[in-house]
Amino acid sequence: MRIPNQTEGLRFRLVLKPGFALGPGKADLLEAIEATGSLAGAGARLDMSPKRVWTLVREMNEAFREPLIETEKGGPGGGGGARLSQLGRWVLARYRAMERDANAVVASGIEELRTLLR
């Protein structure tokens, strides 16, 4: 089951360079990796296929100067895992702070528009 971070308000993508954007899906994936300690667990939490998880992890790790996600390969008995690097935790915190700030700025406009709904 997908656990969305936010159900209403502003959700945005930051186009940081041509061909790469950081948005709600990637931020949710970073949070899920931090919470579960594994790519498979994060994918299950967000209802994402393993291929999609790996694609997003690769995109993020290749876009930044240092990897945001560090992985450890497991063997037949398991033991692998994933975690955010220090930079990964910083990028996630910065993105969420920007998201909160943007929501605070547009909150009154959202309330005004809601008064016009049926």
Side-chain angles (χ1 to χ4, degrees):
M1 166 175 28
R2 185 169 186 348
I3 301 173
N5 180 274
Q6 181 179 341
T7 57
E8 57 186 34
L10 178 69
R11 300 266 297 182
F12 64 94
R13 289 179 36 205
L14 303 172
V15 179
L16 299 175
K17 68 178 188 175
F20 179 76
L22 182 62
K26 288 176 183 157
D28 289 349
L29 179 58
L30 291 172
E31 282 184 342
I33 291 168
E34 187 75 353
T36 64
S38 85
L39 299 182
R45 178 179 250 194
L46 299 172
D47 197 24
M48 266 187 209
S49 73
K51 181 180 180 185
R52 182 71 178 144
V53 169
W54 270 108
T55 297
L56 295 177
V57 166
R58 246 189 317 281
E59 283 179 16
M60 288 187 280
N61 280 350
E62 290 173 2
F64 286 89
R65 292 182 185 174
E66 299 171 25
L68 302 187
I69 301 106
E70 299 169 340
T71 59
E72 293 178 18
K73 189 173 182 177
R83 67 182 169 279
L84 299 188
S85 65
Q86 183 176 352
L87 179 61
R89 287 188 301 277
W90 187 90
V91 167
L92 175 59
R94 187 68 184 109
Y95 176 86
R96 291 300 188 207
M98 293 170 70
E99 189 176 51
R100 280 189 306 276
D101 291 349
N103 271 291
V105 169
V106 299
S108 65
I110 289 173
E111 287 307 313
E112 189 175 356
L113 290 174
R114 282 190 182 135
T115 66
L116 303 173
L117 297 175
R118 290 182 190 256

